[in-house]
Amino acid sequence: ASFRASEELGAMGASRRSTAATLHRPRRPSMAAAAMGVVALSLTGPVRRSLSGFARPMVPGLCPHMSAGGLPTLTGGASRSGSSSIQRRAVEDTDTMGALFTKYYRLQEINANLEADTKVAVVKDLLEVLDDLERALQTLEADTPAHGAVRVVTEKFERKLLSLGFTRMETLGTSFDPQRHEAASKKDADGYASDMVCEEFRSGWFLGERVVRPAVVAVAA
């Protein structure tokens, strides 16, 4: 009985030593942990810092050179080489993004100019129709059905131009501006100083600050 009890005590001691050895045995990193470490090496800047928390569990046994934050580090010449490579990549990325933004804004400007050019090309021809309607209003007798119909069409036409961004020039009483006006004649006009617009023969129009069509006017002598 004493011999049997000694054997049982020996077996229990061996079992405890085996369990302790198993618990203190260093664990090898899994393939997933190793893959995450490689990904962490390729990250730079804020992204790498934000993922540092996920890299900490990979520290044991993954790499002999690990930082306190859990990310792999390089030493000596390899560290300097890696740092310069990261900086060079960051500069290249910044230059690429700058070039892309420049191209984007340039395309936006080209599209805006193209849209304006298309509007001007179409409306320039349509303004001749407006000229005919306004001349018809001047020749037709007021308070007649024909005059009322032409007036309605003319006003609708002008409202449509305004909705497209076009504005009519104010000419009467303004100083003559060769960039905005075409002088058809020069005459004496009571109430107007010299070189003031005293009569409008054809309306002028803007699209924003752009002159779509100069006004044809008479200038006071």
Short mmCIF file of all heavy atoms in Angstrom, two decimals, residues 77-142:
data_model
loop_
_atom_site.label_atom_id
_atom_site.label_comp_id
_atom_site.label_asym_id
_atom_site.label_seq_id
_atom_site.Cartn_x
_atom_site.Cartn_y
_atom_site.Cartn_z
N GLY A 77 21.36 50.99 -40.32
CA GLY A 77 21.20 51.45 -41.70
C GLY A 77 19.83 51.13 -42.26
O GLY A 77 19.27 51.87 -43.05
N ALA A 78 19.30 49.96 -41.85
CA ALA A 78 17.97 49.59 -42.35
C ALA A 78 16.93 50.58 -41.90
O ALA A 78 16.00 50.91 -42.63
CB ALA A 78 17.62 48.18 -41.85
N SER A 79 17.06 51.11 -40.65
CA SER A 79 16.11 52.10 -40.15
C SER A 79 16.17 53.37 -40.96
O SER A 79 15.15 53.94 -41.34
CB SER A 79 16.39 52.38 -38.68
OG SER A 79 15.52 53.38 -38.19
N ARG A 80 17.40 53.85 -41.20
CA ARG A 80 17.54 55.08 -41.99
C ARG A 80 17.02 54.89 -43.40
O ARG A 80 16.36 55.76 -43.97
CB ARG A 80 19.02 55.51 -41.99
CG ARG A 80 19.52 56.02 -40.65
CD ARG A 80 20.89 56.64 -40.79
NE ARG A 80 21.89 55.66 -41.19
CZ ARG A 80 22.58 54.93 -40.32
NH1 ARG A 80 22.37 55.07 -39.02
NH2 ARG A 80 23.48 54.08 -40.74
N SER A 81 17.29 53.75 -44.01
CA SER A 81 16.82 53.47 -45.36
C SER A 81 15.30 53.41 -45.42
O SER A 81 14.68 53.96 -46.32
CB SER A 81 17.43 52.17 -45.86
OG SER A 81 16.92 51.83 -47.13
N GLY A 82 14.72 52.71 -44.43
CA GLY A 82 13.26 52.62 -44.41
C GLY A 82 12.60 53.96 -44.20
O GLY A 82 11.60 54.29 -44.82
N SER A 83 13.19 54.79 -43.31
CA SER A 83 12.63 56.11 -43.04
C SER A 83 12.69 56.99 -44.28
O SER A 83 11.73 57.67 -44.62
CB SER A 83 13.39 56.77 -41.89
OG SER A 83 12.91 58.07 -41.66
N SER A 84 13.83 56.98 -44.98
CA SER A 84 13.94 57.80 -46.19
C SER A 84 12.99 57.31 -47.26
O SER A 84 12.42 58.10 -48.02
CB SER A 84 15.38 57.77 -46.70
OG SER A 84 15.76 56.44 -47.07
N SER A 85 12.77 55.98 -47.34
CA SER A 85 11.84 55.44 -48.32
C SER A 85 10.41 55.89 -48.03
O SER A 85 9.66 56.25 -48.93
CB SER A 85 11.92 53.91 -48.32
OG SER A 85 10.95 53.35 -49.19
N ILE A 86 10.05 55.88 -46.74
CA ILE A 86 8.71 56.33 -46.35
C ILE A 86 8.52 57.80 -46.66
O ILE A 86 7.50 58.22 -47.18
CB ILE A 86 8.47 56.05 -44.85
CG1 ILE A 86 8.39 54.53 -44.62
CG2 ILE A 86 7.19 56.72 -44.37
CD1 ILE A 86 8.33 54.15 -43.16
N GLN A 87 9.54 58.61 -46.34
CA GLN A 87 9.44 60.05 -46.62
C GLN A 87 9.34 60.31 -48.11
O GLN A 87 8.56 61.16 -48.54
CB GLN A 87 10.66 60.76 -46.03
CG GLN A 87 10.70 60.77 -44.51
CD GLN A 87 11.96 61.40 -43.97
OE1 GLN A 87 12.85 61.77 -44.74
NE2 GLN A 87 12.05 61.50 -42.65
N ARG A 88 10.13 59.58 -48.89
CA ARG A 88 10.08 59.75 -50.35
C ARG A 88 8.71 59.37 -50.90
O ARG A 88 8.16 60.05 -51.76
CB ARG A 88 11.17 58.91 -51.00
CG ARG A 88 11.24 59.09 -52.52
CD ARG A 88 12.49 58.44 -53.09
NE ARG A 88 12.54 57.01 -52.81
CZ ARG A 88 13.35 56.44 -51.93
NH1 ARG A 88 14.18 57.19 -51.21
NH2 ARG A 88 13.33 55.14 -51.73
N ARG A 89 8.14 58.29 -50.36
CA ARG A 89 6.81 57.86 -50.80
C ARG A 89 5.75 58.90 -50.43
O ARG A 89 4.84 59.19 -51.20
CB ARG A 89 6.46 56.52 -50.17
CG ARG A 89 5.16 55.90 -50.70
CD ARG A 89 4.81 54.65 -49.93
NE ARG A 89 5.94 53.72 -49.87
CZ ARG A 89 5.97 52.68 -49.06
NH1 ARG A 89 4.97 52.44 -48.23
NH2 ARG A 89 7.02 51.88 -49.05
N ALA A 90 5.90 59.50 -49.23
CA ALA A 90 4.95 60.53 -48.80
C ALA A 90 5.01 61.74 -49.71
O ALA A 90 3.99 62.32 -50.08
CB ALA A 90 5.22 60.92 -47.35
N VAL A 91 6.23 62.15 -50.09
CA VAL A 91 6.39 63.30 -50.99
C VAL A 91 5.79 62.99 -52.35
O VAL A 91 5.09 63.82 -52.96
CB VAL A 91 7.89 63.66 -51.12
CG1 VAL A 91 8.08 64.71 -52.22
CG2 VAL A 91 8.42 64.19 -49.80
N GLU A 92 6.02 61.78 -52.86
CA GLU A 92 5.46 61.39 -54.14
C GLU A 92 3.93 61.38 -54.11
O GLU A 92 3.27 61.84 -55.04
CB GLU A 92 5.99 60.01 -54.54
CG GLU A 92 7.47 60.00 -54.88
CD GLU A 92 7.99 58.58 -55.14
OE1 GLU A 92 7.19 57.63 -54.94
OE2 GLU A 92 9.16 58.44 -55.53
N ASP A 93 3.36 60.86 -53.00
CA ASP A 93 1.90 60.85 -52.87
C ASP A 93 1.34 62.27 -52.83
O ASP A 93 0.31 62.57 -53.43
CB ASP A 93 1.50 60.10 -51.60
CG ASP A 93 1.78 58.60 -51.69
OD1 ASP A 93 2.01 58.13 -52.83
OD2 ASP A 93 1.79 57.93 -50.65
N THR A 94 2.03 63.17 -52.10
CA THR A 94 1.58 64.55 -52.02
C THR A 94 1.62 65.22 -53.39
O THR A 94 0.68 65.92 -53.79
CB THR A 94 2.46 65.34 -51.04
OG1 THR A 94 2.40 64.72 -49.75
CG2 THR A 94 1.98 66.78 -50.92
N ASP A 95 2.70 64.99 -54.14
CA ASP A 95 2.81 65.57 -55.48
C ASP A 95 1.71 65.03 -56.40
O ASP A 95 1.13 65.77 -57.20
CB ASP A 95 4.19 65.27 -56.08
CG ASP A 95 5.30 65.99 -55.34
OD1 ASP A 95 4.98 66.96 -54.62
OD2 ASP A 95 6.46 65.58 -55.47
N THR A 96 1.44 63.73 -56.28
CA THR A 96 0.40 63.13 -57.13
C THR A 96 -0.96 63.72 -56.82
O THR A 96 -1.73 64.07 -57.73
CB THR A 96 0.37 61.61 -56.92
OG1 THR A 96 1.66 61.06 -57.26
CG2 THR A 96 -0.69 60.96 -57.80
N MET A 97 -1.31 63.84 -55.54
CA MET A 97 -2.59 64.42 -55.16
C MET A 97 -2.70 65.87 -55.60
O MET A 97 -3.74 66.32 -56.07
CB MET A 97 -2.78 64.32 -53.64
CG MET A 97 -2.98 62.91 -53.14
SD MET A 97 -4.41 62.08 -53.89
CE MET A 97 -5.73 63.11 -53.27
N GLY A 98 -1.60 66.62 -55.46
CA GLY A 98 -1.61 68.01 -55.92
C GLY A 98 -1.86 68.11 -57.41
O GLY A 98 -2.64 68.96 -57.87
N ALA A 99 -1.22 67.23 -58.19
CA ALA A 99 -1.42 67.24 -59.64
C ALA A 99 -2.86 66.87 -60.00
O ALA A 99 -3.46 67.46 -60.91
CB ALA A 99 -0.44 66.27 -60.30
N LEU A 100 -3.43 65.90 -59.28
CA LEU A 100 -4.81 65.49 -59.55
C LEU A 100 -5.79 66.61 -59.25
O LEU A 100 -6.73 66.86 -60.02
CB LEU A 100 -5.16 64.25 -58.72
CG LEU A 100 -4.49 62.94 -59.16
CD1 LEU A 100 -4.83 61.82 -58.20
CD2 LEU A 100 -4.92 62.56 -60.58
N PHE A 101 -5.59 67.31 -58.12
CA PHE A 101 -6.48 68.43 -57.79
C PHE A 101 -6.34 69.55 -58.81
O PHE A 101 -7.33 70.19 -59.18
CB PHE A 101 -6.16 68.95 -56.38
CG PHE A 101 -6.86 68.18 -55.29
CD1 PHE A 101 -6.14 67.45 -54.36
CD2 PHE A 101 -8.24 68.18 -55.20
CE1 PHE A 101 -6.78 66.74 -53.36
CE2 PHE A 101 -8.89 67.48 -54.20
CZ PHE A 101 -8.16 66.76 -53.28
N THR A 102 -5.12 69.81 -59.27
CA THR A 102 -4.92 70.85 -60.28
C THR A 102 -5.66 70.50 -61.56
O THR A 102 -6.33 71.35 -62.17
CB THR A 102 -3.42 71.02 -60.57
OG1 THR A 102 -2.74 71.39 -59.36
CG2 THR A 102 -3.18 72.08 -61.63
N LYS A 103 -5.58 69.24 -61.99
CA LYS A 103 -6.28 68.81 -63.19
C LYS A 103 -7.80 68.90 -63.00
O LYS A 103 -8.53 69.28 -63.91
CB LYS A 103 -5.89 67.38 -63.54
CG LYS A 103 -4.46 67.25 -64.06
CD LYS A 103 -4.15 65.80 -64.40
CE LYS A 103 -2.72 65.66 -64.91
NZ LYS A 103 -2.39 64.25 -65.22
N TYR A 104 -8.26 68.53 -61.78
CA TYR A 104 -9.70 68.57 -61.51
C TYR A 104 -10.23 69.99 -61.62
O TYR A 104 -11.25 70.24 -62.29
CB TYR A 104 -9.97 68.02 -60.11
CG TYR A 104 -11.39 68.22 -59.65
CD1 TYR A 104 -12.42 67.43 -60.13
CD2 TYR A 104 -11.70 69.21 -58.72
CE1 TYR A 104 -13.73 67.61 -59.71
CE2 TYR A 104 -13.00 69.40 -58.29
CZ TYR A 104 -14.01 68.60 -58.78
OH TYR A 104 -15.29 68.80 -58.37
N TYR A 105 -9.55 70.96 -60.97
CA TYR A 105 -10.02 72.34 -61.01
C TYR A 105 -9.89 72.92 -62.42
O TYR A 105 -10.70 73.76 -62.83
CB TYR A 105 -9.25 73.19 -60.00
CG TYR A 105 -9.61 72.89 -58.57
CD1 TYR A 105 -8.65 72.49 -57.65
CD2 TYR A 105 -10.93 73.00 -58.13
CE1 TYR A 105 -8.99 72.20 -56.34
CE2 TYR A 105 -11.28 72.72 -56.82
CZ TYR A 105 -10.30 72.32 -55.93
OH TYR A 105 -10.64 72.04 -54.64
N ARG A 106 -8.87 72.49 -63.13
CA ARG A 106 -8.72 72.96 -64.52
C ARG A 106 -9.88 72.46 -65.38
O ARG A 106 -10.42 73.20 -66.21
CB ARG A 106 -7.38 72.46 -65.08
CG ARG A 106 -7.12 72.86 -66.53
CD ARG A 106 -7.14 74.34 -66.73
NE ARG A 106 -6.89 74.72 -68.11
CZ ARG A 106 -7.22 75.90 -68.62
NH1 ARG A 106 -7.82 76.81 -67.88
NH2 ARG A 106 -6.96 76.16 -69.88
N LEU A 107 -10.27 71.19 -65.19
CA LEU A 107 -11.40 70.64 -65.94
C LEU A 107 -12.70 71.36 -65.57
O LEU A 107 -13.55 71.61 -66.43
CB LEU A 107 -11.54 69.14 -65.67
CG LEU A 107 -10.50 68.23 -66.33
CD1 LEU A 107 -10.69 66.79 -65.87
CD2 LEU A 107 -10.62 68.30 -67.85
N GLN A 108 -12.86 71.69 -64.27
CA GLN A 108 -14.03 72.44 -63.84
C GLN A 108 -14.09 73.79 -64.54
O GLN A 108 -15.16 74.23 -64.99
CB GLN A 108 -14.00 72.64 -62.33
CG GLN A 108 -14.20 71.37 -61.53
CD GLN A 108 -15.64 70.87 -61.60
OE1 GLN A 108 -15.98 70.08 -62.46
NE2 GLN A 108 -16.47 71.34 -60.70
N GLU A 109 -12.95 74.45 -64.63
CA GLU A 109 -12.90 75.76 -65.30
C GLU A 109 -13.20 75.63 -66.78
O GLU A 109 -13.94 76.45 -67.35
CB GLU A 109 -11.51 76.38 -65.08
CG GLU A 109 -11.35 77.76 -65.69
CD GLU A 109 -9.95 78.33 -65.49
OE1 GLU A 109 -9.14 77.68 -64.81
OE2 GLU A 109 -9.68 79.43 -66.01
N ILE A 110 -12.64 74.59 -67.41
CA ILE A 110 -12.89 74.39 -68.84
C ILE A 110 -14.37 74.11 -69.08
O ILE A 110 -14.98 74.65 -70.03
CB ILE A 110 -12.02 73.23 -69.37
CG1 ILE A 110 -10.54 73.63 -69.37
CG2 ILE A 110 -12.46 72.82 -70.77
CD1 ILE A 110 -9.60 72.51 -69.74
N ASN A 111 -14.98 73.29 -68.23
CA ASN A 111 -16.41 72.99 -68.39
C ASN A 111 -17.27 74.23 -68.21
O ASN A 111 -18.25 74.44 -68.94
CB ASN A 111 -16.82 71.91 -67.38
CG ASN A 111 -16.25 70.55 -67.71
OD1 ASN A 111 -15.90 70.27 -68.86
ND2 ASN A 111 -16.13 69.69 -66.72
N ALA A 112 -16.92 75.06 -67.22
CA ALA A 112 -17.68 76.30 -67.00
C ALA A 112 -17.56 77.23 -68.20
O ALA A 112 -18.55 77.83 -68.64
CB ALA A 112 -17.19 76.99 -65.73
N ASN A 113 -16.34 77.37 -68.74
CA ASN A 113 -16.14 78.23 -69.90
C ASN A 113 -16.87 77.68 -71.12
O ASN A 113 -17.44 78.44 -71.92
CB ASN A 113 -14.65 78.38 -70.21
CG ASN A 113 -13.93 79.17 -69.15
OD1 ASN A 113 -14.53 79.97 -68.44
ND2 ASN A 113 -12.63 78.95 -69.02
N LEU A 114 -16.86 76.34 -71.27
CA LEU A 114 -17.55 75.74 -72.40
C LEU A 114 -19.05 75.96 -72.31
O LEU A 114 -19.72 76.26 -73.31
CB LEU A 114 -17.23 74.24 -72.44
CG LEU A 114 -17.87 73.43 -73.59
CD1 LEU A 114 -17.42 73.97 -74.94
CD2 LEU A 114 -17.54 71.95 -73.46
N GLU A 115 -19.59 75.83 -71.10
CA GLU A 115 -21.02 76.07 -70.91
C GLU A 115 -21.38 77.52 -71.23
O GLU A 115 -22.39 77.79 -71.90
CB GLU A 115 -21.40 75.75 -69.46
CG GLU A 115 -22.88 75.94 -69.16
CD GLU A 115 -23.22 75.65 -67.72
OE1 GLU A 115 -22.30 75.31 -66.95
OE2 GLU A 115 -24.41 75.76 -67.35
N ALA A 116 -20.54 78.47 -70.78
CA ALA A 116 -20.79 79.88 -71.06
C ALA A 116 -20.70 80.17 -72.55
O ALA A 116 -21.54 80.90 -73.11
CB ALA A 116 -19.81 80.75 -70.28
N ASP A 117 -19.68 79.59 -73.20
CA ASP A 117 -19.54 79.81 -74.65
C ASP A 117 -20.74 79.28 -75.42
O ASP A 117 -21.20 79.91 -76.39
CB ASP A 117 -18.26 79.13 -75.16
CG ASP A 117 -16.99 79.80 -74.65
OD1 ASP A 117 -17.09 80.97 -74.20
OD2 ASP A 117 -15.92 79.16 -74.68
N THR A 118 -21.25 78.14 -75.00
CA THR A 118 -22.42 77.55 -75.68
C THR A 118 -23.65 78.44 -75.50
O THR A 118 -24.40 78.69 -76.45
CB THR A 118 -22.70 76.14 -75.12
OG1 THR A 118 -21.53 75.33 -75.27
CG2 THR A 118 -23.86 75.49 -75.85
N LYS A 119 -23.85 78.93 -74.28
CA LYS A 119 -24.98 79.82 -74.03
C LYS A 119 -24.89 81.07 -74.89
O LYS A 119 -25.87 81.50 -75.51
CB LYS A 119 -25.03 80.23 -72.55
CG LYS A 119 -25.60 79.20 -71.62
CD LYS A 119 -25.69 79.78 -70.21
CE LYS A 119 -26.33 78.80 -69.25
NZ LYS A 119 -26.43 79.39 -67.89
N VAL A 120 -23.71 81.69 -74.91
CA VAL A 120 -23.53 82.93 -75.66
C VAL A 120 -23.76 82.71 -77.15
O VAL A 120 -24.43 83.52 -77.82
CB VAL A 120 -22.12 83.50 -75.40
CG1 VAL A 120 -21.81 84.63 -76.38
CG2 VAL A 120 -21.99 83.99 -73.98
N ALA A 121 -23.24 81.61 -77.68
CA ALA A 121 -23.40 81.34 -79.12
C ALA A 121 -24.87 81.20 -79.50
O ALA A 121 -25.30 81.67 -80.56
CB ALA A 121 -22.63 80.08 -79.49
N VAL A 122 -25.67 80.55 -78.63
CA VAL A 122 -27.09 80.34 -78.94
C VAL A 122 -27.88 81.64 -78.75
O VAL A 122 -28.68 82.03 -79.60
CB VAL A 122 -27.66 79.21 -78.06
CG1 VAL A 122 -29.16 79.11 -78.24
CG2 VAL A 122 -26.98 77.89 -78.38
N VAL A 123 -27.63 82.32 -77.63
CA VAL A 123 -28.43 83.51 -77.30
C VAL A 123 -28.12 84.66 -78.23
O VAL A 123 -29.00 85.49 -78.52
CB VAL A 123 -28.20 83.89 -75.83
CG1 VAL A 123 -28.80 85.25 -75.51
CG2 VAL A 123 -28.79 82.83 -74.92
N LYS A 124 -26.91 84.75 -78.73
CA LYS A 124 -26.57 85.83 -79.67
C LYS A 124 -27.53 85.83 -80.86
O LYS A 124 -27.98 86.89 -81.31
CB LYS A 124 -25.12 85.68 -80.16
CG LYS A 124 -24.13 86.53 -79.40
CD LYS A 124 -22.77 86.46 -80.05
CE LYS A 124 -21.80 87.39 -79.36
NZ LYS A 124 -20.45 87.35 -79.97
N ASP A 125 -27.82 84.66 -81.39
CA ASP A 125 -28.75 84.56 -82.52
C ASP A 125 -30.18 84.85 -82.08
O ASP A 125 -30.94 85.50 -82.81
CB ASP A 125 -28.67 83.17 -83.16
CG ASP A 125 -27.33 82.93 -83.84
OD1 ASP A 125 -26.67 83.92 -84.22
OD2 ASP A 125 -26.94 81.75 -83.98
N LEU A 126 -30.56 84.39 -80.89
CA LEU A 126 -31.92 84.62 -80.41
C LEU A 126 -32.19 86.09 -80.09
O LEU A 126 -33.34 86.53 -80.14
CB LEU A 126 -32.19 83.76 -79.17
CG LEU A 126 -32.18 82.24 -79.39
CD1 LEU A 126 -32.43 81.52 -78.07
CD2 LEU A 126 -33.23 81.85 -80.43
N LEU A 127 -31.14 86.84 -79.76
CA LEU A 127 -31.33 88.26 -79.47
C LEU A 127 -31.84 89.01 -80.70
O LEU A 127 -32.51 90.05 -80.56
CB LEU A 127 -30.03 88.88 -78.97
CG LEU A 127 -29.63 88.50 -77.54
CD1 LEU A 127 -28.25 89.08 -77.20
CD2 LEU A 127 -30.66 88.98 -76.54
N GLU A 128 -31.54 88.52 -81.87
CA GLU A 128 -32.06 89.16 -83.08
C GLU A 128 -33.59 89.04 -83.14
O GLU A 128 -34.27 89.96 -83.63
CB GLU A 128 -31.42 88.53 -84.32
CG GLU A 128 -29.91 88.75 -84.41
CD GLU A 128 -29.30 88.11 -85.64
OE1 GLU A 128 -30.08 87.54 -86.46
OE2 GLU A 128 -28.08 88.16 -85.80
N VAL A 129 -34.10 87.92 -82.63
CA VAL A 129 -35.56 87.77 -82.57
C VAL A 129 -36.13 88.78 -81.58
O VAL A 129 -37.19 89.39 -81.84
CB VAL A 129 -35.93 86.32 -82.16
CG1 VAL A 129 -37.44 86.17 -82.06
CG2 VAL A 129 -35.34 85.32 -83.14
N LEU A 130 -35.47 88.98 -80.46
CA LEU A 130 -35.92 89.98 -79.49
C LEU A 130 -35.90 91.38 -80.10
O LEU A 130 -36.82 92.18 -79.85
CB LEU A 130 -35.03 89.92 -78.24
CG LEU A 130 -35.37 90.90 -77.12
CD1 LEU A 130 -36.76 90.62 -76.57
CD2 LEU A 130 -34.32 90.83 -76.01
N ASP A 131 -34.87 91.67 -80.89
CA ASP A 131 -34.82 92.97 -81.57
C ASP A 131 -36.04 93.18 -82.46
O ASP A 131 -36.65 94.27 -82.48
CB ASP A 131 -33.55 93.09 -82.40
CG ASP A 131 -32.28 93.05 -81.56
OD1 ASP A 131 -32.37 93.36 -80.36
OD2 ASP A 131 -31.21 92.69 -82.09
N ASP A 132 -36.43 92.16 -83.22
CA ASP A 132 -37.60 92.27 -84.10
C ASP A 132 -38.87 92.49 -83.28
O ASP A 132 -39.75 93.29 -83.68
CB ASP A 132 -37.74 91.01 -84.96
CG ASP A 132 -36.59 90.85 -85.96
OD1 ASP A 132 -35.94 91.87 -86.27
OD2 ASP A 132 -36.34 89.71 -86.40
N LEU A 133 -39.00 91.79 -82.16
CA LEU A 133 -40.19 91.96 -81.32
C LEU A 133 -40.26 93.38 -80.76
O LEU A 133 -41.34 94.00 -80.72
CB LEU A 133 -40.18 90.93 -80.19
CG LEU A 133 -40.36 89.47 -80.58
CD1 LEU A 133 -40.13 88.56 -79.38
CD2 LEU A 133 -41.75 89.23 -81.16
N GLU A 134 -39.13 93.91 -80.33
CA GLU A 134 -39.12 95.27 -79.76
C GLU A 134 -39.41 96.31 -80.84
O GLU A 134 -40.09 97.32 -80.58
CB GLU A 134 -37.79 95.54 -79.07
CG GLU A 134 -37.60 94.72 -77.80
CD GLU A 134 -36.25 94.94 -77.13
OE1 GLU A 134 -35.33 95.42 -77.82
OE2 GLU A 134 -36.13 94.62 -75.94
N ARG A 135 -38.90 96.11 -82.04
CA ARG A 135 -39.22 97.03 -83.14
C ARG A 135 -40.70 96.96 -83.50
O ARG A 135 -41.33 97.98 -83.83
CB ARG A 135 -38.35 96.73 -84.36
CG ARG A 135 -36.94 97.28 -84.27
CD ARG A 135 -36.21 97.21 -85.60
NE ARG A 135 -35.90 95.83 -85.96
CZ ARG A 135 -34.74 95.25 -85.68
NH1 ARG A 135 -33.80 95.92 -85.00
NH2 ARG A 135 -34.51 94.01 -86.04
N ALA A 136 -41.28 95.75 -83.43
CA ALA A 136 -42.71 95.60 -83.71
C ALA A 136 -43.55 96.35 -82.68
O ALA A 136 -44.56 96.97 -83.01
CB ALA A 136 -43.09 94.12 -83.73
N LEU A 137 -43.11 96.32 -81.41
CA LEU A 137 -43.83 97.06 -80.37
C LEU A 137 -43.82 98.56 -80.64
O LEU A 137 -44.79 99.27 -80.35
CB LEU A 137 -43.21 96.78 -79.00
CG LEU A 137 -43.54 95.44 -78.34
CD1 LEU A 137 -42.77 95.29 -77.03
CD2 LEU A 137 -45.03 95.32 -78.08
N GLN A 138 -42.73 99.07 -81.20
CA GLN A 138 -42.62 100.51 -81.49
C GLN A 138 -43.50 100.93 -82.66
O GLN A 138 -43.95 102.08 -82.72
CB GLN A 138 -41.16 100.89 -81.76
CG GLN A 138 -40.25 100.72 -80.56
CD GLN A 138 -38.78 100.96 -80.88
OE1 GLN A 138 -38.43 101.22 -82.06
NE2 GLN A 138 -37.92 100.86 -79.89
N THR A 139 -43.75 100.02 -83.59
CA THR A 139 -44.54 100.37 -84.78
C THR A 139 -46.04 100.13 -84.58
O THR A 139 -46.86 100.80 -85.21
CB THR A 139 -44.05 99.56 -85.99
OG1 THR A 139 -44.14 98.16 -85.70
CG2 THR A 139 -42.60 99.91 -86.31
N LEU A 140 -46.38 99.17 -83.73
CA LEU A 140 -47.80 98.86 -83.53
C LEU A 140 -48.45 99.90 -82.62
O LEU A 140 -47.80 100.47 -81.73
CB LEU A 140 -47.96 97.47 -82.90
CG LEU A 140 -47.59 96.27 -83.79
CD1 LEU A 140 -47.61 94.99 -82.96
CD2 LEU A 140 -48.55 96.16 -84.97
N GLU A 141 -49.71 100.15 -82.87
CA GLU A 141 -50.45 101.08 -82.03
C GLU A 141 -50.69 100.47 -80.66
O GLU A 141 -50.99 99.29 -80.53
CB GLU A 141 -51.79 101.43 -82.69
CG GLU A 141 -51.67 102.21 -83.98
CD GLU A 141 -53.02 102.59 -84.53
OE1 GLU A 141 -54.04 102.35 -83.83
OE2 GLU A 141 -53.07 103.13 -85.65
N ALA A 142 -50.56 101.33 -79.65
CA ALA A 142 -50.78 100.86 -78.28
C ALA A 142 -52.25 100.53 -78.06
O ALA A 142 -53.14 101.02 -78.76
CB ALA A 142 -50.32 101.92 -77.30
#
